[in-house]
Amino acid sequence: MTMLRIRAREARDVVVAAKAVNLQGGVRLSYVETGNPGGPPVILLHGYTDSLRSFDLLLPHLPASYRVVALSQRGHGDASRPPHGYRPRDFAADLAAFMDALGIQSAVIVGHSMGSQVALRFAIGHAARVAGLVLIGGFASLGRNPVMREFYKASVAPLSDPIDADFAREFQESTLANPVPPAFLDTVVAESLKVPARVWRGALAGQMEEDVTAELRAIHAPTLLLWGDRDALVSRGDQDALVDAMRNAVLVTYARIGHAVHWEAPGRVGADLTAFVDTVAA
């Protein structure tokens, strides 16, 4: 069992043991769990080529009264890497099985970037299991984004193993508008390097093929959108489309912050997330 020390400035250290669970079908997911096992469950879903380590800066800012679970989705981090199954609906099916394995009936689902698309797909298919949604740098459709289409064609489609370390670092840095702690950036780059080229291709192709726009009105759960106005990947228009289509969504904009809001402003995200969870769990 791997022990992780998770630290954020002006917050307590959190020392947690990385665990793993085997799902039906042979997929093995790794995860960390903090807080009160009897508290409101909060599940954290990372972005593309990230892992549970994506939440290292955020976890110390969340109350110990919550049951917080951060997982590495299939193909990412230390999870297993099956030959296929990298569409948002596949990740969402894993999430349902994961919650079953941990005895979690419903939870606040927090998704960043790719994780937001997984959260939306999960909320559409498993409405009763979603106490609330938090979408960080979220979107309903990525395939309409010309920047991402070009990125896939020019940079991801030609990838081969091993992934070039400079490429992985450039990708992660491209999501930032402000510096993050160097050790944390080194960690997320190292996690991206664990992802094989076929998963880089499969997971991004899956996101680009997914479009839940027409299904958003089926989501009734309270939803909090967190978006940085210097996000180079996801636009304000993407946020407005979500707010307009969803029945119970609120947008919070972070000035001068990039795509990974929880990396650049973990304390504020922790406070906003706490206020939201306290409301929906009341």
Side-chain angles (χ1 to χ4, degrees):
M1 195 161 29
T2 303
M3 300 299 294
L4 305 177
R5 179 176 295 276
I6 297 169
R7 173 172 294 179
R9 287 169 292 190
E10 301 179 2
R12 71 190 189 282
D13 283 5
V14 177
V15 180
V16 293
K19 306 175 185 178
V21 61
N22 294 311
L23 308 181
Q24 189 173 8
V27 174
R28 181 175 182 269
L29 302 184
S30 55
Y31 69 100
V32 294
E33 184 170 354
T34 68
N36 177 9
V42 178
I43 298 178
L44 308 177
L45 304 176
H46 60 77
Y48 174 61
T49 79
D50 292 331
S51 73
L52 59 84
R53 301 303 303 271
S54 176
F55 299 102
D56 280 7
L57 301 181
L58 176 62
L59 284 174
H61 293 282
L62 299 179
S65 57
Y66 296 168
R67 180 185 184 183
V68 181
V69 183
L71 69 146
S72 291
Q73 301 177 86
R74 65 166 65 198
H76 295 72
D78 295 325
S80 61
R81 302 172 177 85
H84 51 76
Y86 295 100
R87 302 169 300 171
R89 64 184 66 246
D90 300 313
F91 292 122
D94 286 348
L95 176 57
F98 177 80
M99 291 172 66
D100 288 344
L102 269 63
I104 300 174
Q105 179 55 40
S106 68
V108 173
I109 309 297
V110 181
H112 169 234
S113 195
M114 181 186 80
S116 75
Q117 211 178 29
V118 176
L120 287 169
R121 175 52 63 193
F122 183 78
I124 292 165
H126 302 273
R129 308 198 71 171
V130 179
L133 284 175
V134 180
L135 309 179
I136 304 173
F139 49 86
S141 171
L142 197 63
R144 304 179 189 183
N145 186 323
V147 173
M148 295 310 298
R149 290 199 303 269
E150 178 58 26
F151 175 65
Y152 180 85
K153 179 180 178 181
S155 300
V156 175
L159 283 178
S160 60
D161 295 316
I163 300 299
D164 180 74
D166 289 339
F167 171 77
R169 182 171 293 273
E170 181 180 353
F171 168 69
Q172 291 291 10
E173 288 178 342
S174 74
T175 69
L176 298 172
N178 299 280
V180 296
F184 173 74
L185 181 59
D186 289 345
T187 294
V188 297
V189 170
E191 293 298 286
S192 286
L193 291 172
K194 293 179 180 180
V195 180
R198 61 182 176 80
V199 177
W200 278 78
R201 285 191 291 272
L204 186 53
Q207 291 176 79
M208 294 176 67
E209 292 166 4
E210 182 84 349
D211 188 344
V212 299
T213 303
E215 302 172 84
L216 291 174
R217 294 197 180 279
I219 299 176
H220 298 270
T223 301
L224 176 65
L225 309 179
L226 305 180
W227 175 75
D229 67 3
R230 291 189 181 175
D231 191 329
L233 302 179
V234 179
S235 71
R236 173 60 187 260
D238 290 312
Q239 310 312 299
D240 292 341
L242 289 168
V243 171
D244 290 346
M246 299 176 75
R247 296 169 181 260
N248 198 8
V250 174
L251 171 64
V252 176
T253 298
Y254 288 61
R256 300 177 297 280
I257 298 293
H259 183 58
V261 180
H262 58 307
W263 296 3
E264 296 185 35
R268 183 178 168 192
V269 170
D272 287 341
L273 179 55
T274 298
F276 177 78
V277 174
D278 286 348
T279 298
V280 301

